[in-house]
Amino acid sequence: MAERLADAAVNEDGCGWSQTRRVAPNSCPRVLTREPPGPRRGMEEEKMDENEWGYHGEGNKSLVVAHAQRCVVLRFLKFPPNRKKTSEEILQHLQDIVDFGKNVMKEFFGENCVHCGEVVQLPLEFVKQLCLKIQSERPESRCDKDLDTLSGYAMCLPNLTRLQTYCIAEHRPILCVEIKPKCGFIPFSSSVTHEMKHKVCRYCMHQHLKVATGKWKQISEYCPLDLFSGNKQRMHFALKSLLQESQNNLKIFKNGELIYGCGDARSPAADWRELAHHLKPFFFPSNGLAGGAQCTRAVIRELVHVITRVLLSSSDKGRVGALRPGTRGPHVCEASPFSRSLHRQGKNTPERSGLPKGCLLYKTLQVQMLDLLDIEGLYPLYNRVEQYLEEFPEERKMLQIDGPYDEAFYQKLLDLSTEDDGSVAFALTKNVLAQYDYVQQYRVAMTAKDCSIMIALSPCLQDASSDRRLVVPSSRSRLAFSVSVLDLDLKPYESIPHQYKLDAKIVNYYAKTVHAKDDTVMSTRFKESEDCTLVLHKV
């Protein structure tokens, strides 16, 4: 594979190329330009070999393949069989993703953490053959949607399971941990009508509904508030909980290959033994243990410590300092097994240590907290905007509902005002257009609540004096690392009604089953204490 394809992915400023560049034979054809609106110009198609690419993973809306040698991936959109979009619509959709990452998320997370990539056009025959090649590797649960094979458009991005320093795969071993942390705060909005939402985080409540509907077999002990606490003890517990029950919130790759995550029916102990075998080259126990349960625990413990250090390390500066989301809610989730365990022992949950402002978790949390009103307070504003658009449909473009996602869009996100208190003053100062800013902020916040953090680790070479990469210490050696964020597609405006219904479903199920059960247990204990009567007898 020629170097042109790698350049397309690792050159972040490449999203703004004003001229097309030729590619060498067998490389990625038709790298699209980012010129002012008008006809898109590309390059003549050249041959690509589907055998150089392998299945990497997929989500609900896209599928990713990775190149065998180069540190690049291609991301294709997916659609239900009966839903077809035109090539122009797909091109615009992909370009909107690039623009949103470049003009909005890079501002929040920093230049080095967000990799926008760029849109490329591929030979249709290559895409069709690639689709046939990877079909057998796709999970059955994901095959309800088909890879887009008609437009030829895809996104070319760096492979974030590799260290983001070189475009060519290095010979040294590379470990990558992917974490989907989810929402790290409890709603603080006065619009919340369910008191339970002020005590228990969304993730912990949703776990019960997912297990009841068969999504997962058992409830995870992971609580996002523990990870976002900044307290190392709570963070260690959260990461170990993810390792025990990863669901789709944690994956581990070694040299680009998935080795752990989305586990099968095996026990966590068996999974941990296999994982420890893969991790030994990175975290060989300092006590020299070569095998056994004690060695496995030592290796897992070292992995957790290193990930914690990386998550708390400072990265390049974003513009989250401009965000002032206001008062936070409780720092502890009542459903967190960590908090409950301490409570049973009569101990207080460790205070929130606070996240360093330069670390990626802090920046992620700040963007998440753009959700000022919670979906309960946001939904009425959404309905007002919808009513307005029914009367003035031409305003949809002016509101930038479908883009463009430019600097003007970003600036609107920084206008954080007070909540809708029902007063006349609010009605006068916050017209429908201003209310829509809350809708945009909510969409961006939801994007940050569903993003993934990629931590790539590799042992430092003995002569690493010229190595400019970030380094984290381990008990055995030093590890070079890079941190990135992915899954940063802006959440659809049309999904807000679904989010409102889902929120109610999650809270109602939790209140009727789990919380009601807890109340019953407490009521029974209280009744038993009432029935306990001390009888005195004469001696």
Side-chain angles (χ1 to χ4, degrees), residues 60-61 83 85 93 100 378 382 396 401-402 405 436 439-440 442-444 446-447 450 489-499:
N60 186 43
K61 296 181 179 179
R83 184 183 175 188
K85 285 195 173 185
H93 186 167
F100 179 70
L378 189 281
Y382 166 83
R396 185 179 178 95
I401 292 178
D402 307 308
Y405 304 117
Y436 183 66
V439 177
Q440 299 288 50
Y442 174 81
R443 294 173 66 193
V444 175
M446 291 300 292
T447 300
D450 205 35
D489 298 7
L490 180 62
K491 294 301 179 182
Y493 169 78
E494 293 77 13
S495 70
I496 291 176
H498 168 74
Q499 290 296 331

PDB file of all heavy atoms in Angstrom, residues 60-61 83 85 93 100 378 382 396 401-402 405 436 439-440 442-444 446-447 450 489-499:
ATOM      1  N   ASN A  60     -23.756   0.817  15.279  1.00  0.00           N
ATOM      2  CA  ASN A  60     -25.114   0.824  14.755  1.00  0.00           C
ATOM      3  C   ASN A  60     -25.201   1.483  13.379  1.00  0.00           C
ATOM      4  O   ASN A  60     -26.054   1.117  12.570  1.00  0.00           O
ATOM      5  CB  ASN A  60     -26.036   1.556  15.731  1.00  0.00           C
ATOM      6  CG  ASN A  60     -27.488   1.477  15.322  1.00  0.00           C
ATOM      7  OD1 ASN A  60     -27.979   0.434  14.907  1.00  0.00           O
ATOM      8  ND2 ASN A  60     -28.192   2.597  15.424  1.00  0.00           N
ATOM      9  N   LYS A  61     -24.296   2.428  13.109  1.00  0.00           N
ATOM     10  CA  LYS A  61     -24.424   3.218  11.888  1.00  0.00           C
ATOM     11  C   LYS A  61     -23.239   3.136  10.939  1.00  0.00           C
ATOM     12  O   LYS A  61     -23.292   3.682   9.838  1.00  0.00           O
ATOM     13  CB  LYS A  61     -24.673   4.685  12.258  1.00  0.00           C
ATOM     14  CG  LYS A  61     -25.978   4.906  12.998  1.00  0.00           C
ATOM     15  CD  LYS A  61     -26.195   6.378  13.319  1.00  0.00           C
ATOM     16  CE  LYS A  61     -27.512   6.583  14.043  1.00  0.00           C
ATOM     17  NZ  LYS A  61     -27.735   8.023  14.381  1.00  0.00           N
ATOM     18  N   ARG A  83     -33.664   1.035   2.999  1.00  0.00           N
ATOM     19  CA  ARG A  83     -33.420   2.475   3.053  1.00  0.00           C
ATOM     20  C   ARG A  83     -32.179   2.816   2.237  1.00  0.00           C
ATOM     21  O   ARG A  83     -31.058   2.509   2.627  1.00  0.00           O
ATOM     22  CB  ARG A  83     -33.241   2.943   4.498  1.00  0.00           C
ATOM     23  CG  ARG A  83     -33.077   4.458   4.619  1.00  0.00           C
ATOM     24  CD  ARG A  83     -32.819   4.860   6.070  1.00  0.00           C
ATOM     25  NE  ARG A  83     -32.538   6.274   6.197  1.00  0.00           N
ATOM     26  CZ  ARG A  83     -32.124   6.857   7.321  1.00  0.00           C
ATOM     27  NH1 ARG A  83     -31.947   6.123   8.404  1.00  0.00           N
ATOM     28  NH2 ARG A  83     -31.883   8.146   7.372  1.00  0.00           N
ATOM     29  N   LYS A  85     -29.900   5.788   0.250  1.00  0.00           N
ATOM     30  CA  LYS A  85     -29.620   7.208   0.119  1.00  0.00           C
ATOM     31  C   LYS A  85     -28.833   7.451  -1.154  1.00  0.00           C
ATOM     32  O   LYS A  85     -28.090   6.578  -1.608  1.00  0.00           O
ATOM     33  CB  LYS A  85     -28.828   7.720   1.333  1.00  0.00           C
ATOM     34  CG  LYS A  85     -29.648   7.874   2.592  1.00  0.00           C
ATOM     35  CD  LYS A  85     -28.916   8.722   3.618  1.00  0.00           C
ATOM     36  CE  LYS A  85     -29.785   9.019   4.816  1.00  0.00           C
ATOM     37  NZ  LYS A  85     -29.124   9.954   5.767  1.00  0.00           N
ATOM     38  N   HIS A  93     -23.313  13.651   4.236  1.00  0.00           N
ATOM     39  CA  HIS A  93     -23.332  13.096   5.595  1.00  0.00           C
ATOM     40  C   HIS A  93     -21.913  12.898   6.115  1.00  0.00           C
ATOM     41  O   HIS A  93     -21.579  13.311   7.237  1.00  0.00           O
ATOM     42  CB  HIS A  93     -24.089  11.763   5.593  1.00  0.00           C
ATOM     43  CG  HIS A  93     -24.293  11.192   6.958  1.00  0.00           C
ATOM     44  ND1 HIS A  93     -25.163  10.161   7.222  1.00  0.00           N
ATOM     45  CD2 HIS A  93     -23.724  11.486   8.157  1.00  0.00           C
ATOM     46  CE1 HIS A  93     -25.124   9.854   8.502  1.00  0.00           C
ATOM     47  NE2 HIS A  93     -24.256  10.643   9.087  1.00  0.00           N
ATOM     48  N   PHE A 100     -17.829  18.569  11.675  1.00  0.00           N
ATOM     49  CA  PHE A 100     -18.186  18.650  13.087  1.00  0.00           C
ATOM     50  C   PHE A 100     -16.983  18.317  13.965  1.00  0.00           C
ATOM     51  O   PHE A 100     -16.718  18.984  14.976  1.00  0.00           O
ATOM     52  CB  PHE A 100     -19.340  17.694  13.391  1.00  0.00           C
ATOM     53  CG  PHE A 100     -19.756  17.687  14.825  1.00  0.00           C
ATOM     54  CD1 PHE A 100     -20.401  18.786  15.388  1.00  0.00           C
ATOM     55  CD2 PHE A 100     -19.506  16.585  15.640  1.00  0.00           C
ATOM     56  CE1 PHE A 100     -20.788  18.786  16.729  1.00  0.00           C
ATOM     57  CE2 PHE A 100     -19.885  16.578  16.968  1.00  0.00           C
ATOM     58  CZ  PHE A 100     -20.525  17.680  17.518  1.00  0.00           C
ATOM     59  N   LEU A 378     -35.397  19.610  28.266  1.00  0.00           N
ATOM     60  CA  LEU A 378     -35.079  19.893  26.868  1.00  0.00           C
ATOM     61  C   LEU A 378     -36.251  19.588  25.944  1.00  0.00           C
ATOM     62  O   LEU A 378     -36.473  20.306  24.960  1.00  0.00           O
ATOM     63  CB  LEU A 378     -33.841  19.071  26.479  1.00  0.00           C
ATOM     64  CG  LEU A 378     -33.138  19.288  25.140  1.00  0.00           C
ATOM     65  CD1 LEU A 378     -33.828  18.641  23.971  1.00  0.00           C
ATOM     66  CD2 LEU A 378     -32.885  20.768  24.893  1.00  0.00           C
ATOM     67  N   TYR A 382     -37.709  21.442  22.534  1.00  0.00           N
ATOM     68  CA  TYR A 382     -37.696  20.769  21.234  1.00  0.00           C
ATOM     69  C   TYR A 382     -39.073  20.886  20.570  1.00  0.00           C
ATOM     70  O   TYR A 382     -39.171  21.176  19.361  1.00  0.00           O
ATOM     71  CB  TYR A 382     -37.307  19.298  21.416  1.00  0.00           C
ATOM     72  CG  TYR A 382     -37.580  18.426  20.211  1.00  0.00           C
ATOM     73  CD1 TYR A 382     -36.675  18.366  19.150  1.00  0.00           C
ATOM     74  CD2 TYR A 382     -38.741  17.656  20.142  1.00  0.00           C
ATOM     75  CE1 TYR A 382     -36.925  17.563  18.045  1.00  0.00           C
ATOM     76  CE2 TYR A 382     -38.999  16.863  19.042  1.00  0.00           C
ATOM     77  CZ  TYR A 382     -38.088  16.816  17.998  1.00  0.00           C
ATOM     78  OH  TYR A 382     -38.350  16.019  16.897  1.00  0.00           O
ATOM     79  N   ARG A 396     -35.265  26.318   8.969  1.00  0.00           N
ATOM     80  CA  ARG A 396     -34.484  25.126   9.343  1.00  0.00           C
ATOM     81  C   ARG A 396     -33.013  25.293   8.990  1.00  0.00           C
ATOM     82  O   ARG A 396     -32.124  24.919   9.765  1.00  0.00           O
ATOM     83  CB  ARG A 396     -35.061  23.884   8.654  1.00  0.00           C
ATOM     84  CG  ARG A 396     -34.384  22.588   9.084  1.00  0.00           C
ATOM     85  CD  ARG A 396     -35.001  21.382   8.392  1.00  0.00           C
ATOM     86  NE  ARG A 396     -34.324  20.158   8.782  1.00  0.00           N
ATOM     87  CZ  ARG A 396     -34.727  19.348   9.752  1.00  0.00           C
ATOM     88  NH1 ARG A 396     -35.842  19.635  10.407  1.00  0.00           N
ATOM     89  NH2 ARG A 396     -34.051  18.266  10.060  1.00  0.00           N
ATOM     90  N   ILE A 401     -29.769  23.074  11.724  1.00  0.00           N
ATOM     91  CA  ILE A 401     -30.147  21.749  12.213  1.00  0.00           C
ATOM     92  C   ILE A 401     -29.354  20.664  11.488  1.00  0.00           C
ATOM     93  O   ILE A 401     -28.913  19.681  12.090  1.00  0.00           O
ATOM     94  CB  ILE A 401     -31.662  21.524  12.034  1.00  0.00           C
ATOM     95  CG1 ILE A 401     -32.426  22.448  12.986  1.00  0.00           C
ATOM     96  CG2 ILE A 401     -32.042  20.064  12.276  1.00  0.00           C
ATOM     97  CD1 ILE A 401     -33.918  22.365  12.866  1.00  0.00           C
ATOM     98  N   ASP A 402     -29.160  20.838  10.203  1.00  0.00           N
ATOM     99  CA  ASP A 402     -28.447  19.843   9.402  1.00  0.00           C
ATOM    100  C   ASP A 402     -27.069  20.357   8.984  1.00  0.00           C
ATOM    101  O   ASP A 402     -26.497  19.879   8.007  1.00  0.00           O
ATOM    102  CB  ASP A 402     -29.279  19.512   8.149  1.00  0.00           C
ATOM    103  CG  ASP A 402     -30.697  19.101   8.509  1.00  0.00           C
ATOM    104  OD1 ASP A 402     -30.852  18.204   9.350  1.00  0.00           O
ATOM    105  OD2 ASP A 402     -31.649  19.701   7.957  1.00  0.00           O
ATOM    106  N   TYR A 405     -21.583  22.667  10.130  1.00  0.00           N
ATOM    107  CA  TYR A 405     -21.009  22.650  11.469  1.00  0.00           C
ATOM    108  C   TYR A 405     -19.698  23.418  11.439  1.00  0.00           C
ATOM    109  O   TYR A 405     -18.610  22.854  11.372  1.00  0.00           O
ATOM    110  CB  TYR A 405     -20.840  21.205  11.942  1.00  0.00           C
ATOM    111  CG  TYR A 405     -22.149  20.451  11.889  1.00  0.00           C
ATOM    112  CD1 TYR A 405     -22.322  19.350  11.052  1.00  0.00           C
ATOM    113  CD2 TYR A 405     -23.234  20.871  12.649  1.00  0.00           C
ATOM    114  CE1 TYR A 405     -23.543  18.681  10.999  1.00  0.00           C
ATOM    115  CE2 TYR A 405     -24.455  20.216  12.599  1.00  0.00           C
ATOM    116  CZ  TYR A 405     -24.596  19.120  11.769  1.00  0.00           C
ATOM    117  OH  TYR A 405     -25.802  18.470  11.714  1.00  0.00           O
ATOM    118  N   TYR A 436     -33.406  27.053  20.732  1.00  0.00           N
ATOM    119  CA  TYR A 436     -32.805  25.993  19.948  1.00  0.00           C
ATOM    120  C   TYR A 436     -31.332  25.795  20.288  1.00  0.00           C
ATOM    121  O   TYR A 436     -30.791  24.713  20.080  1.00  0.00           O
ATOM    122  CB  TYR A 436     -32.954  26.267  18.451  1.00  0.00           C
ATOM    123  CG  TYR A 436     -32.402  25.146  17.610  1.00  0.00           C
ATOM    124  CD1 TYR A 436     -33.002  23.896  17.624  1.00  0.00           C
ATOM    125  CD2 TYR A 436     -31.244  25.310  16.855  1.00  0.00           C
ATOM    126  CE1 TYR A 436     -32.493  22.847  16.896  1.00  0.00           C
ATOM    127  CE2 TYR A 436     -30.722  24.261  16.120  1.00  0.00           C
ATOM    128  CZ  TYR A 436     -31.360  23.039  16.143  1.00  0.00           C
ATOM    129  OH  TYR A 436     -30.835  21.994  15.429  1.00  0.00           O
ATOM    130  N   VAL A 439     -31.061  22.980  22.404  1.00  0.00           N
ATOM    131  CA  VAL A 439     -31.186  21.723  21.661  1.00  0.00           C
ATOM    132  C   VAL A 439     -29.830  21.338  21.068  1.00  0.00           C
ATOM    133  O   VAL A 439     -29.423  20.181  21.130  1.00  0.00           O
ATOM    134  CB  VAL A 439     -32.252  21.856  20.557  1.00  0.00           C
ATOM    135  CG1 VAL A 439     -32.330  20.571  19.738  1.00  0.00           C
ATOM    136  CG2 VAL A 439     -33.620  22.180  21.159  1.00  0.00           C
ATOM    137  N   GLN A 440     -29.128  22.309  20.511  1.00  0.00           N
ATOM    138  CA  GLN A 440     -27.811  22.027  19.947  1.00  0.00           C
ATOM    139  C   GLN A 440     -26.836  21.589  21.037  1.00  0.00           C
ATOM    140  O   GLN A 440     -26.043  20.664  20.842  1.00  0.00           O
ATOM    141  CB  GLN A 440     -27.270  23.271  19.231  1.00  0.00           C
ATOM    142  CG  GLN A 440     -28.119  23.755  18.065  1.00  0.00           C
ATOM    143  CD  GLN A 440     -28.030  22.832  16.850  1.00  0.00           C
ATOM    144  OE1 GLN A 440     -28.189  21.617  16.969  1.00  0.00           O
ATOM    145  NE2 GLN A 440     -27.777  23.409  15.690  1.00  0.00           N
ATOM    146  N   TYR A 442     -27.558  20.137  23.789  1.00  0.00           N
ATOM    147  CA  TYR A 442     -27.931  18.781  24.203  1.00  0.00           C
ATOM    148  C   TYR A 442     -27.382  17.745  23.231  1.00  0.00           C
ATOM    149  O   TYR A 442     -26.863  16.699  23.649  1.00  0.00           O
ATOM    150  CB  TYR A 442     -29.456  18.665  24.285  1.00  0.00           C
ATOM    151  CG  TYR A 442     -29.947  17.263  24.567  1.00  0.00           C
ATOM    152  CD1 TYR A 442     -29.957  16.753  25.856  1.00  0.00           C
ATOM    153  CD2 TYR A 442     -30.387  16.436  23.523  1.00  0.00           C
ATOM    154  CE1 TYR A 442     -30.397  15.464  26.114  1.00  0.00           C
ATOM    155  CE2 TYR A 442     -30.831  15.149  23.777  1.00  0.00           C
ATOM    156  CZ  TYR A 442     -30.832  14.666  25.073  1.00  0.00           C
ATOM    157  OH  TYR A 442     -31.253  13.379  25.322  1.00  0.00           O
ATOM    158  N   ARG A 443     -27.471  18.005  21.934  1.00  0.00           N
ATOM    159  CA  ARG A 443     -26.966  17.062  20.926  1.00  0.00           C
ATOM    160  C   ARG A 443     -25.464  16.846  21.087  1.00  0.00           C
ATOM    161  O   ARG A 443     -24.977  15.714  21.004  1.00  0.00           O
ATOM    162  CB  ARG A 443     -27.272  17.580  19.522  1.00  0.00           C
ATOM    163  CG  ARG A 443     -28.750  17.642  19.179  1.00  0.00           C
ATOM    164  CD  ARG A 443     -28.964  18.325  17.844  1.00  0.00           C
ATOM    165  NE  ARG A 443     -28.414  17.545  16.732  1.00  0.00           N
ATOM    166  CZ  ARG A 443     -28.252  18.019  15.502  1.00  0.00           C
ATOM    167  NH1 ARG A 443     -28.547  19.287  15.227  1.00  0.00           N
ATOM    168  NH2 ARG A 443     -27.772  17.238  14.547  1.00  0.00           N
ATOM    169  N   VAL A 444     -24.731  17.922  21.337  1.00  0.00           N
ATOM    170  CA  VAL A 444     -23.286  17.808  21.522  1.00  0.00           C
ATOM    171  C   VAL A 444     -22.975  17.071  22.823  1.00  0.00           C
ATOM    172  O   VAL A 444     -22.070  16.226  22.875  1.00  0.00           O
ATOM    173  CB  VAL A 444     -22.634  19.202  21.511  1.00  0.00           C
ATOM    174  CG1 VAL A 444     -21.137  19.096  21.823  1.00  0.00           C
ATOM    175  CG2 VAL A 444     -22.837  19.879  20.157  1.00  0.00           C
ATOM    176  N   MET A 446     -24.826  14.802  24.310  1.00  0.00           N
ATOM    177  CA  MET A 446     -25.117  13.388  24.096  1.00  0.00           C
ATOM    178  C   MET A 446     -24.015  12.711  23.299  1.00  0.00           C
ATOM    179  O   MET A 446     -23.714  11.526  23.501  1.00  0.00           O
ATOM    180  CB  MET A 446     -26.460  13.226  23.386  1.00  0.00           C
ATOM    181  CG  MET A 446     -27.665  13.611  24.225  1.00  0.00           C
ATOM    182  SD  MET A 446     -27.806  12.630  25.738  1.00  0.00           S
ATOM    183  CE  MET A 446     -28.189  11.024  25.057  1.00  0.00           C
ATOM    184  N   THR A 447     -23.403  13.448  22.388  1.00  0.00           N
ATOM    185  CA  THR A 447     -22.270  12.900  21.635  1.00  0.00           C
ATOM    186  C   THR A 447     -21.124  12.577  22.575  1.00  0.00           C
ATOM    187  O   THR A 447     -20.519  11.500  22.492  1.00  0.00           O
ATOM    188  CB  THR A 447     -21.812  13.916  20.566  1.00  0.00           C
ATOM    189  OG1 THR A 447     -22.892  14.189  19.675  1.00  0.00           O
ATOM    190  CG2 THR A 447     -20.631  13.382  19.783  1.00  0.00           C
ATOM    191  N   ASP A 450     -21.480   9.455  24.687  1.00  0.00           N
ATOM    192  CA  ASP A 450     -21.387   8.170  23.992  1.00  0.00           C
ATOM    193  C   ASP A 450     -20.053   7.980  23.277  1.00  0.00           C
ATOM    194  O   ASP A 450     -19.904   7.057  22.492  1.00  0.00           O
ATOM    195  CB  ASP A 450     -22.527   8.049  22.976  1.00  0.00           C
ATOM    196  CG  ASP A 450     -22.877   6.599  22.671  1.00  0.00           C
ATOM    197  OD1 ASP A 450     -22.799   5.763  23.592  1.00  0.00           O
ATOM    198  OD2 ASP A 450     -23.225   6.294  21.515  1.00  0.00           O
ATOM    199  N   ASP A 489     -19.611  11.496  16.210  1.00  0.00           N
ATOM    200  CA  ASP A 489     -20.658  11.961  15.299  1.00  0.00           C
ATOM    201  C   ASP A 489     -21.740  12.686  16.098  1.00  0.00           C
ATOM    202  O   ASP A 489     -22.214  12.177  17.123  1.00  0.00           O
ATOM    203  CB  ASP A 489     -21.304  10.785  14.558  1.00  0.00           C
ATOM    204  CG  ASP A 489     -20.309  10.035  13.695  1.00  0.00           C
ATOM    205  OD1 ASP A 489     -19.104  10.344  13.769  1.00  0.00           O
ATOM    206  OD2 ASP A 489     -20.732   9.144  12.952  1.00  0.00           O
ATOM    207  N   LEU A 490     -22.150  13.841  15.622  1.00  0.00           N
ATOM    208  CA  LEU A 490     -23.195  14.597  16.295  1.00  0.00           C
ATOM    209  C   LEU A 490     -24.495  13.798  16.324  1.00  0.00           C
ATOM    210  O   LEU A 490     -24.944  13.275  15.306  1.00  0.00           O
ATOM    211  CB  LEU A 490     -23.422  15.927  15.577  1.00  0.00           C
ATOM    212  CG  LEU A 490     -24.503  16.844  16.157  1.00  0.00           C
ATOM    213  CD1 LEU A 490     -24.136  17.264  17.575  1.00  0.00           C
ATOM    214  CD2 LEU A 490     -24.701  18.064  15.269  1.00  0.00           C
ATOM    215  N   LYS A 491     -25.111  13.696  17.507  1.00  0.00           N
ATOM    216  CA  LYS A 491     -26.352  12.942  17.645  1.00  0.00           C
ATOM    217  C   LYS A 491     -27.472  13.612  16.844  1.00  0.00           C
ATOM    218  O   LYS A 491     -27.597  14.841  16.851  1.00  0.00           O
ATOM    219  CB  LYS A 491     -26.753  12.839  19.119  1.00  0.00           C
ATOM    220  CG  LYS A 491     -25.785  12.020  19.958  1.00  0.00           C
ATOM    221  CD  LYS A 491     -25.652  10.594  19.440  1.00  0.00           C
ATOM    222  CE  LYS A 491     -24.674   9.786  20.264  1.00  0.00           C
ATOM    223  NZ  LYS A 491     -24.488   8.406  19.744  1.00  0.00           N
ATOM    224  N   PRO A 492     -28.282  12.826  16.153  1.00  0.00           N
ATOM    225  CA  PRO A 492     -29.314  13.400  15.271  1.00  0.00           C
ATOM    226  C   PRO A 492     -30.357  14.215  16.028  1.00  0.00           C
ATOM    227  O   PRO A 492     -30.774  13.856  17.129  1.00  0.00           O
ATOM    228  CB  PRO A 492     -29.953  12.168  14.611  1.00  0.00           C
ATOM    229  CG  PRO A 492     -28.977  11.054  14.819  1.00  0.00           C
ATOM    230  CD  PRO A 492     -28.258  11.360  16.095  1.00  0.00           C
ATOM    231  N   TYR A 493     -30.771  15.287  15.431  1.00  0.00           N
ATOM    232  CA  TYR A 493     -31.849  16.122  15.972  1.00  0.00           C
ATOM    233  C   TYR A 493     -33.130  15.302  16.102  1.00  0.00           C
ATOM    234  O   TYR A 493     -33.868  15.429  17.079  1.00  0.00           O
ATOM    235  CB  TYR A 493     -32.057  17.319  15.026  1.00  0.00           C
ATOM    236  CG  TYR A 493     -33.287  18.143  15.291  1.00  0.00           C
ATOM    237  CD1 TYR A 493     -33.321  19.066  16.327  1.00  0.00           C
ATOM    238  CD2 TYR A 493     -34.418  18.011  14.483  1.00  0.00           C
ATOM    239  CE1 TYR A 493     -34.452  19.837  16.562  1.00  0.00           C
ATOM    240  CE2 TYR A 493     -35.548  18.777  14.698  1.00  0.00           C
ATOM    241  CZ  TYR A 493     -35.563  19.689  15.742  1.00  0.00           C
ATOM    242  OH  TYR A 493     -36.682  20.453  15.970  1.00  0.00           O
ATOM    243  N   GLU A 494     -33.377  14.435  15.134  1.00  0.00           N
ATOM    244  CA  GLU A 494     -34.617  13.642  15.115  1.00  0.00           C
ATOM    245  C   GLU A 494     -34.668  12.590  16.215  1.00  0.00           C
ATOM    246  O   GLU A 494     -35.715  12.003  16.455  1.00  0.00           O
ATOM    247  CB  GLU A 494     -34.781  12.972  13.753  1.00  0.00           C
ATOM    248  CG  GLU A 494     -35.026  13.922  12.591  1.00  0.00           C
ATOM    249  CD  GLU A 494     -33.755  14.628  12.128  1.00  0.00           C
ATOM    250  OE1 GLU A 494     -32.644  14.200  12.538  1.00  0.00           O
ATOM    251  OE2 GLU A 494     -33.877  15.610  11.371  1.00  0.00           O
ATOM    252  N   SER A 495     -33.546  12.320  16.889  1.00  0.00           N
ATOM    253  CA  SER A 495     -33.532  11.274  17.920  1.00  0.00           C
ATOM    254  C   SER A 495     -34.010  11.773  19.282  1.00  0.00           C
ATOM    255  O   SER A 495     -34.150  10.985  20.215  1.00  0.00           O
ATOM    256  CB  SER A 495     -32.111  10.710  18.062  1.00  0.00           C
ATOM    257  OG  SER A 495     -31.242  11.675  18.648  1.00  0.00           O
ATOM    258  N   ILE A 496     -34.274  13.067  19.422  1.00  0.00           N
ATOM    259  CA  ILE A 496     -34.648  13.617  20.731  1.00  0.00           C
ATOM    260  C   ILE A 496     -35.943  12.998  21.270  1.00  0.00           C
ATOM    261  O   ILE A 496     -35.999  12.629  22.455  1.00  0.00           O
ATOM    262  CB  ILE A 496     -34.738  15.153  20.652  1.00  0.00           C
ATOM    263  CG1 ILE A 496     -33.323  15.726  20.461  1.00  0.00           C
ATOM    264  CG2 ILE A 496     -35.382  15.733  21.906  1.00  0.00           C
ATOM    265  CD1 ILE A 496     -33.275  17.219  20.282  1.00  0.00           C
ATOM    266  N   PRO A 497     -37.019  12.842  20.474  1.00  0.00           N
ATOM    267  CA  PRO A 497     -38.219  12.169  21.013  1.00  0.00           C
ATOM    268  C   PRO A 497     -37.917  10.756  21.513  1.00  0.00           C
ATOM    269  O   PRO A 497     -38.462  10.326  22.543  1.00  0.00           O
ATOM    270  CB  PRO A 497     -39.183  12.159  19.820  1.00  0.00           C
ATOM    271  CG  PRO A 497     -38.755  13.319  18.986  1.00  0.00           C
ATOM    272  CD  PRO A 497     -37.264  13.359  19.118  1.00  0.00           C
ATOM    273  N   HIS A 498     -37.065  10.037  20.776  1.00  0.00           N
ATOM    274  CA  HIS A 498     -36.695   8.683  21.216  1.00  0.00           C
ATOM    275  C   HIS A 498     -35.968   8.736  22.552  1.00  0.00           C
ATOM    276  O   HIS A 498     -36.232   7.906  23.447  1.00  0.00           O
ATOM    277  CB  HIS A 498     -35.825   8.017  20.156  1.00  0.00           C
ATOM    278  CG  HIS A 498     -35.155   6.752  20.639  1.00  0.00           C
ATOM    279  ND1 HIS A 498     -35.840   5.576  20.826  1.00  0.00           N
ATOM    280  CD2 HIS A 498     -33.862   6.508  20.993  1.00  0.00           C
ATOM    281  CE1 HIS A 498     -35.012   4.645  21.270  1.00  0.00           C
ATOM    282  NE2 HIS A 498     -33.807   5.188  21.379  1.00  0.00           N
ATOM    283  N   GLN A 499     -35.059   9.696  22.717  1.00  0.00           N
ATOM    284  CA  GLN A 499     -34.323   9.812  23.974  1.00  0.00           C
ATOM    285  C   GLN A 499     -35.262  10.130  25.134  1.00  0.00           C
ATOM    286  O   GLN A 499     -35.083   9.635  26.252  1.00  0.00           O
ATOM    287  CB  GLN A 499     -33.257  10.903  23.850  1.00  0.00           C
ATOM    288  CG  GLN A 499     -32.096  10.557  22.923  1.00  0.00           C
ATOM    289  CD  GLN A 499     -31.300   9.374  23.436  1.00  0.00           C
ATOM    290  OE1 GLN A 499     -31.212   9.128  24.648  1.00  0.00           O
ATOM    291  NE2 GLN A 499     -30.711   8.622  22.514  1.00  0.00           N
TER     292      GLN A 499
END
